[in-house]
Amino acid sequence: MGRIALTGTASLLGGRLLRRLAETKGPDRLLVVDVAPPPAALAVRHRAVDLTAPAADQRLLDVLREEQVESVLHFAFFTSPRRDTVYTHELESIGTLAVLAAAAAAGVGRVVMRSFTAVYGARGQNPAFLTEDRPLQPDPATAWARDKLEAEQHAASFSRRYPDLKVAVLRFAPLIGPGVHTFYTRILDRRVVPLLMGYDPLVQMLHPDDALGAAEAAVDRPVAGPFNVVPLRPIPLLTALHLAGKIPLPVPHPLAYPAVDLMWAAGVGEAPGRFCDYVRFPFVADGERARRELGFSARHASRDALLAYIGYRHPQARARAAEAPA
Amino acid sequence: MSSRPKVVLLRPATRGEPQRDAAPEATPRREGLLVALARALEAGRHGLGWENVADLWSAAYFSWHSEDVDEFGRDARFIETIRPLLEFLYTVWWRVEPAGVENVPAEGPALVVANHSGVLPWDGVMITLALRHEHPARRECRMLVLDMFALLPFLAPTLARSGAVRASQENGERLLRQGELVGVFPEGVKGVGKRYRDRYKLARFGRGGFVRLALRTSAPIVPCAVVGAEEIHPVLAKADWVGRPFGLPYFPITPSFPLLGPLGVVPLPTKWSIDFSDPIPTAGYGPEAAEDPILVNRLSEQVRSVIQRMIDGRLARRRSVWFG
């Protein structure tokens, strides 16, 4: 049996997947391909490959061949938007290209790639549940989404060109729960949380345990193509804020976009103004395909994931949040 | 500052009464707003903190919203909250007279197809109420609403909470496959925003999307005619350029709007009737018939003429707009 290579093990999901696989498959079958070494306690092999370096694909190909890798789990993606868009583009779009090219050339059987339901784009015209065959239409002006979209396009094109390479793309709903630290949890950590006046879209919040369960299921099944990984039920944004004990501050949307952009440019904001779309319009995805083909169904509703996060982050502040979900 | 005691809410008392409108996600009632207020005041003797403000706010919010909604955003407690207002409109304001409610199947999917009028989607609300209160099986009708209503700030979340769903093939199909009763207005914006002089003349029925929906899911079509809603906001003229910067597809000028400002959104107390005709079965054609444009158009025209006939019959018998 060949090895399973993981990238992006410094991320929450990649790191937890590494730990879980080290338990279930044994550390000998794993290989961390990353710039940062994994925790020494795991005793997992590590090969340093910088996906943003020139000729990263060649270096990665050598590593995959030498270590006899049979599957690659590609989790090197940023959840939060970054000001360094050049590096992000090199890692996410070009880096994914390198991973896919090396995997195809090394004869690796399968690649599992992390993606985001946000790549569908938040749009007023979205159906209540986005299915995997829906075209990906994120806001083209958002670098964050553009890089993820390009990574998805590389995955689709490699699947077409190399029928033997099974590329499964897991589109995770936004993660919330113990251990999650992203730009939206930083916003949620404040007492007063701004939102758009008159808009209250349904949002999905995925518990990291569920996300991990889906990733594990995808490692073992020879499936290909995109899969939405979503929680049981979405929740209205305003309901979520009140459940978390926040004070919502409604901002008129014509004001919010430039104000958020200004804060981002000034270095105090968490995201560019275009991200307001994600609290204005829904991007709720349908998990039916993952249920059918991956055998994965979430155990937590969005509400449970949120309460788990509040209990983890602010245990003393909210007696209500610690209360077990009904 | 440091001596300020933190208010820790106890587990909210749940009242045992089952909700009349029992949705699967109906959550137990939290402690009331007054209890939260009393707690805040108690804590406030030592100075009111952020926690108290947040607690009060959230108690106020959850006094009329559920903690959990269904997958389309329908909120059982919100519906319960606005029910008195809607029932007032139904029984007192418009004195709605439903007929043929039993034509709507007692169970399984069905598509109620109605004429659209009245500037704001009140006709959908009243059809829902007629079926909820007068149908023997107390059926809950999910209205598919126009994009414009589903996207407008404030109106969009309100409609979603009250059970309406944005009109699209995907949403309609999902609801019907779950065995729900779905209501549509194929005239769309051409119907709801038409001028007073064009009242009760059915506009084109879209491109037959509702027929394809029914064929694909083998759901019977129940034609429905609403009379009385055309006169609640008589549109004398349209100044669509006023609404465009705000994302409104039309801007009606009625005797009271925009002349009287906010009062202009109060609808006139006309007398309403809602007629349901015999269902038109679609199961015999098979799902592939949805791709046959001639058949789709024929069924669409058939439904349209049934509705127009029901409307004309009502209008011929109606003596007064106000008293029926």
Side-chain angles (χ1 to χ4, degrees):
Chain A
M1 281 210 289
R3 284 211 164 89
I4 303 171
L6 288 96
T7 69
T9 48
S11 69
L12 169 79
L13 214 48
R16 286 196 58 182
L17 188 60
L18 174 67
R19 275 164 214 279
R20 179 68 67 89
L21 292 178
E23 282 170 21
T24 54
K25 311 252 180 220
D28 298 341
R29 280 200 61 201
L30 301 181
L31 170 74
V32 169
V33 180
D34 206 321
V35 281
L42 287 177
V44 175
R45 277 186 73 80
H46 172 232
R47 298 290 294 263
V49 177
D50 183 358
L51 290 176
T52 63
D57 46 354
Q58 187 58 54
R59 166 109 177 92
L60 190 60
L61 174 60
D62 296 341
V63 168
L64 295 182
R65 281 205 176 124
E66 285 162 24
E67 305 280 349
Q68 293 167 340
V69 169
E70 60 168 16
S71 343
V72 175
L73 315 182
H74 182 38
F75 278 72
F77 292 93
F78 291 113
T79 304
S80 302
R82 292 164 53 92
R83 290 189 174 76
D84 189 353
T85 51
V86 175
Y87 178 78
T88 315
H89 178 74
E90 291 300 312
L91 177 68
E92 297 188 337
S93 175
I94 311 299
T96 300
L97 199 57
V99 168
L100 291 165
V108 166
R110 59 186 280 89
V111 174
V112 178
M113 188 180 112
R114 191 225 202 284
S115 188
F116 302 76
T117 55
V119 182
Y120 287 112
R123 282 168 189 269
Q125 291 79 16
N126 278 348
F129 286 89
L130 295 156
T131 47
E132 285 84 351
D133 50 12
R134 182 94 185 167
L136 301 171
Q137 298 168 306
D139 183 349
T142 308
W144 180 91
R146 210 170 46 224
D147 293 331
K148 271 85 175 167
L149 173 66
E150 285 178 14
E152 284 244 12
Q153 286 167 344
H154 297 323
S157 114
F158 269 82
S159 294
R160 264 198 311 278
R161 282 188 286 159
Y162 299 90
D164 294 338
L165 183 69
K166 299 258 179 286
V167 186
V169 179
L170 303 181
R171 294 176 183 155
F172 292 99
L175 292 178
I176 276 202
V180 179
H181 294 271
T182 62
F183 71 106
Y184 49 81
T185 62
R186 281 194 291 277
I187 295 170
L188 197 64
D189 286 343
R190 297 175 188 155
R191 278 201 195 98
V192 178
V193 179
L195 80 173
L196 298 179
M197 189 185 280
Y199 289 98
D200 188 16
L202 288 170
V203 291
Q204 286 177 315
M205 300 177 184
L206 184 66
H207 197 289
D209 290 353
D210 282 336
L212 193 63
E216 256 196 303
V219 172
D220 289 331
R221 296 200 181 211
V223 289
F227 295 90
N228 295 331
V229 180
V230 298
L232 279 180
R233 267 193 313 284
I235 186 172
L237 185 66
L238 198 53
T239 303
L241 292 187
H242 280 299
L243 270 178
K246 303 295 160 184
I247 299 176
L249 174 71
V251 183
H253 68 268
L255 215 76
Y257 286 76
V260 173
D261 254 339
L262 206 64
M263 282 166 66
W264 176 249
V268 291
E270 299 285 358
R274 300 291 187 118
F275 274 70
C276 290
D277 279 351
Y278 289 109
V279 290
R280 186 173 175 197
F281 299 123
F283 61 109
V284 173
D286 181 31
E288 182 53 37
R289 184 165 183 225
R291 190 156 39 243
R292 220 175 37 237
E293 294 180 33
L294 279 183
F296 162 79
S297 41
R299 286 183 294 118
H300 301 86
S302 300
R303 176 177 185 271
D304 310 336
L306 175 74
L307 292 183
Y309 175 76
I310 297 298
Y312 147 81
R313 195 77 178 81
H314 312 281
Q316 78 294 350
R318 310 298 312 169
R320 183 171 21 245
E323 179 189 311
Chain B
M1 201 63 186
S2 57
S3 64
R4 176 185 299 160
K6 293 240 158 60
V7 174
V8 177
L9 286 185
L10 300 174
R11 200 187 160 80
T14 55
R15 281 184 218 161
E17 52 171 56
Q19 300 234 343
R20 190 185 141 167
D21 185 38
E25 280 82 23
T27 44
R29 250 173 210 288
R30 290 182 160 275
E31 64 185 6
L33 180 57
L34 285 178
V35 181
L37 190 64
R39 277 173 197 282
L41 288 177
E42 174 64 23
R45 287 191 302 163
H46 311 278
L48 209 61
W50 280 105
E51 293 86 358
N52 307 128
V53 177
D55 279 347
L56 255 183
W57 198 320
S58 107
Y61 182 81
F62 286 118
S63 68
W64 59 299
H65 292 94
S66 312
E67 285 185 24
D68 223 344
V69 298
D70 87 347
E71 56 174 25
F72 287 96
R74 183 178 181 278
D75 181 333
R77 185 171 306 151
F78 181 75
I79 290 173
E80 196 68 8
T81 308
I82 59 171
R83 205 184 66 185
L85 169 71
L86 300 186
E87 283 181 354
F88 168 79
L89 287 173
Y90 186 88
T91 54
V92 179
W93 198 250
W94 287 317
R95 293 141 287 142
V96 179
E97 193 185 317
V101 190
E102 64 286 345
N103 287 326
V104 175
E107 57 183 17
L111 194 63
V112 174
V113 180
N115 58 315
H116 210 2
S117 54
V119 180
L120 287 170
W122 285 116
D123 43 0
V125 180
M126 291 301 121
I127 291 173
T128 311
L129 249 68
L131 290 166
R132 190 186 295 162
H133 293 315
E134 321 261 358
H135 192 275
R138 303 202 167 261
R139 290 215 68 172
E140 194 61 42
C141 184
R142 306 293 300 251
M143 295 317 270
L144 296 186
V145 296
L146 282 167
D147 270 10
M148 50 173 270
F149 294 132
L151 294 182
L152 278 180
F154 301 103
L155 190 59
T158 311
L159 284 172
R161 293 250 180 202
S162 47
V165 175
R166 194 185 76 82
S168 76
Q169 286 283 328
E170 294 100 326
N171 290 349
E173 211 174 310
R174 193 176 175 102
L175 284 165
L176 286 170
R177 292 207 189 284
Q178 290 172 0
E180 301 254 14
L181 182 63
V182 175
V184 287
F185 299 105
E187 289 173 279
V189 67
K190 300 187 296 307
V192 71
K194 63 176 169 280
R195 287 181 177 80
Y196 187 63
R197 61 161 191 262
D198 298 323
R199 63 192 181 278
Y200 298 120
K201 276 184 256 167
L202 286 185
R204 179 169 53 82
F205 263 23
R207 279 147 291 170
F210 75 97
V211 178
R212 287 201 303 275
L213 191 57
L215 286 171
R216 253 189 236 132
T217 56
S218 304
I221 295 174
V222 183
C224 168
V226 182
V227 170
E230 292 275 17
E231 291 92 357
I232 61 173
H233 290 293
V235 179
L236 304 178
K238 296 210 274 186
D240 293 348
W241 54 273
V242 180
R244 216 159 285 144
F246 304 100
L248 299 170
Y250 55 80
F251 190 86
I253 300 201
T254 72
S256 57
F257 184 85
L259 197 64
L260 298 184
L263 270 182
V265 296
V266 176
L268 295 177
T270 55
K271 164 80 179 171
W272 283 36
S273 68
I274 302 179
D275 292 285
F276 297 91
S277 104
D278 294 330
I280 300 171
T282 60
Y285 300 102
E288 62 284 351
E291 309 309 322
D292 177 355
I294 303 294
L295 174 72
V296 168
N297 215 6
R298 203 183 72 217
L299 282 172
S300 171
E301 272 310 303
Q302 186 189 344
V303 175
R304 190 168 172 270
S305 65
V306 170
I307 297 176
Q308 185 74 67
R309 230 177 13 248
M310 284 196 287
I311 290 176
D312 292 345
R314 274 281 173 186
L315 288 178
R317 276 174 283 149
R318 185 169 78 159
R319 293 219 192 86
S320 151
V321 171
W322 313 104
F323 306 107

